[in-house]
C-alpha cells in the first residue's frame, strides 16, 4: 500500500485528482471505477474545473460506479445515478452510453449485479478504481462481514451506514435498506485502487484498513492484498496510524521521491 498523507482535505483532494489526471493523460480511454458520497464531491468539482480549463479530458473514458440503492430509479434525487449526473456527467456533457451504474430499480437485483460484473469484464476491467471508506471500514457497500472474495451483489446496509447517509435524504424519506455493490473481488481486480479519506471520523477505519489484520471485520483491509493500492489521506484521517512517521518519510507531503 502506498500511503500519502497531505496536510489538509483540499490538498488530499488535489492529490487524488492529480492521480486521476495522470491516468487519463496516459490512457484517455481508461476505464474508471467511480465512488459517490461526501468525500468525492470536491473531487468531482475539481475534475469539472480542470476539464473546463482544458487540462484534462474525460470524454473518452468509460466509467462504472461502485454501487446504487436497491429500489431507487435513476431519476430519484438521492439515487447515485442522480449524484453522478449532477456532479460530473451532466456538467461535462458526457455520453451516457459510456457511464455505467447498477440499476437500483432492476426487477431482479441479483441478475443486475451479475450483469454489472460481466459488463466490467467486457470493457476490459477497471484501470483506476476510486474509493471512499465508511466509518465502519466498508468500501463500496461491502459492509463488515462481507466476503473478501465477493462478486458484485446485493448487500444489506448496516444501521450505521443508513444513519450516516440519512443526511442526504429529506426528513420524510428513509434510506433504502439494500444496495447493489461491486464486490471486494471486483474491486481487487482493478489495476489501480485509489482510496481517499478525509476527517477525524475516518481515522479509526483508516488505521484498521492499513495496519489492522486482514479481516472481514474491516472490509477495506482487503486492499492489503491489492498489488497497487494508493491511500490518499489528510492529516485528520491519518491520525491513528502507528507507522505514520514512516509513511511521511517515504512520501514527504504525499509526494513521490526519486530513488537514489
Ligand atoms: C459510495 C461508496 C461508499 C462511500 C463511503 C464514504 O459510492 O461506495 O463506500 O465511499 O460510505 O462516504 P462519505 O464520503 O460520504 O463519508
Amino acid at each position: 500500500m502506498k500511503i500519502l498523507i497531505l496536510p489538509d482535505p483540499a490538498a488530499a483532494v488535489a492529490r487524488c485528482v492529480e492521480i486521476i489526471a495522470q491516468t487519463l493523460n496516459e490512457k484517455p480511454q481508461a476505464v474508471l471505477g467511480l465512488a459517490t458520497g461526501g468525500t468525492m464531491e470536491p473531487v468531482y468539482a475539481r475534475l469539472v474545473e480542470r476539464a473546463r480549463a482544458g487540462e484534462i479530458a474525460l470524454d473518452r473514458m468509460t466509467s462504472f460506479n461502485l454501487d446504487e440503492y436497491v429500489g431507487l430509479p435513476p431519476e430519484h434525487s438521492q439515487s447515485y445515478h442522480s449524484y453522478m449526473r449532477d456532479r460530473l456527467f451532466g456538467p461535462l456533457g458526457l455520453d451516457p452510453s459510456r457511464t455505467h451504474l447498477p440499476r437500483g430499480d432492476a426487477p431482479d437485483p441479483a441478475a443486475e449485479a451479475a450483469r454489472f460484473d460481466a459488463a466490467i469484464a467486457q470493457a476490459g476491467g477497471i484501470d483506476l478504481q476510486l474509493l471512499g471508506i465508511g466509518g465502519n471500514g466498508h468500501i463500496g457497500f461491502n459492509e463488515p462481514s462481507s466476503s473478501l472474495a465477493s462478486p458484485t451483489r446485493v448487500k444489506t446496509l448496516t444501521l450505521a451506514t443508513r444513519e450516516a447517509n440519512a443526511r442526504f435524504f429529506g426528513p420524510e424519506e428513509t434510506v433504502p435498506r439494500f444496495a447493489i455493490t461491486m464486490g471486494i473481488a471486483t474491486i481487487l481486480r482493478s489495476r489501480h485502487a485509489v482510496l481517499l479519506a478525509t476527517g477525524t471520523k475516518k481515522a479509526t477505519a483508516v488505521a484498521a484498513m492499513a495496519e489492522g489484520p486482514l479481516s472481514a471485520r474491516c472490509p477495506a483491509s482487503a486492499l492489503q492484498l491489492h498489488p497497487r493500492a494508493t491511500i490518499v489521506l489528510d492529516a485528520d484521517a491519518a491520525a491513528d496510524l502507528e507507522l505514520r512517521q514512516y509513511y511521511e518519510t517515504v512520501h514527504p507531503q504525499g509526494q513521490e521521491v526519486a530513488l537514489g
Side-chain angles (χ1 to χ4, degrees):
M1 265 184 189
K2 184 186 281 190
I3 300 188
L4 308 179
I5 303 174
L6 285 299
D8 54 51
V13 166
R15 188 74 180 87
C16 183
V17 169
E18 205 177 294
I19 295 169
I20 300 169
Q22 201 176 354
T23 302
L24 288 167
N25 283 340
E26 285 164 13
K27 188 175 176 185
Q29 74 285 18
V31 177
L32 301 186
L34 301 177
T36 59
T39 312
M40 295 301 150
E41 288 182 347
V43 172
Y44 296 136
R46 188 83 191 102
L47 277 178
V48 169
E49 262 172 40
R50 291 195 58 179
R52 285 185 174 151
E55 295 166 8
I56 172 174
L58 286 110
D59 49 325
R60 290 173 62 198
M61 65 100 186
T62 299
S63 70
F64 288 90
N65 264 75
L66 280 167
D67 38 26
E68 179 59 285
Y69 292 113
V70 169
L72 299 195
E75 47 293 344
H76 188 285
S77 64
Q78 291 314 318
S79 72
Y80 286 162
H81 280 80
S82 290
Y83 175 107
M84 293 307 302
R85 215 170 30 235
D86 293 350
R87 291 166 179 82
L88 188 69
F89 305 157
L92 293 184
L94 299 183
D95 174 357
S97 72
R98 305 183 87 95
T99 63
H100 307 271
L101 291 95
R103 287 283 303 229
D105 59 348
D108 181 346
E112 172 64 2
R115 184 199 65 78
F116 201 69
D117 259 351
I120 293 171
Q122 176 97 39
I126 291 173
D127 291 300
L128 184 153
Q129 176 65 57
L130 200 52
L131 298 164
I133 185 170
N136 64 2
H138 72 219
I139 46 174
F141 274 137
N142 294 284
E143 298 283 32
S145 82
S146 287
S147 158
L148 301 186
S150 47
T152 297
R153 70 213 181 290
V154 176
K155 277 299 289 180
T156 306
L157 303 181
T158 61
L159 192 57
T161 296
R162 294 178 69 210
E163 282 172 1
N165 289 3
R167 69 192 194 277
F168 298 113
F169 287 76
E172 303 299 313
E173 295 176 310
T174 49
V175 183
R177 287 187 58 210
F178 305 102
I180 296 175
T181 180
M182 268 191 213
I184 305 263
T186 313
I187 292 169
L188 291 181
R189 274 197 297 274
S190 62
R191 287 182 272 279
H192 186 189
V194 178
L195 184 143
L196 173 66
T198 53
T200 44
K201 280 190 188 156
K202 303 295 171 70
T204 309
V206 164
M209 163 183 69
E211 298 177 340
L214 176 65
S215 165
R217 184 68 185 83
C218 176
S221 66
L223 293 176
Q224 294 174 21
L225 294 174
H226 197 293
R228 190 175 177 208
T230 302
I231 312 298
V232 184
L233 306 171
D234 72 344
D236 286 341
D240 289 355
L241 290 168
E242 278 179 24
L243 305 179
R244 177 173 178 175
Q245 205 183 8
Y246 171 65
Y247 310 136
E248 288 177 333
T249 310
V250 181
H251 297 291
Q253 300 288 313
Q255 300 306 312
E256 299 293 343
V257 175
L259 295 180

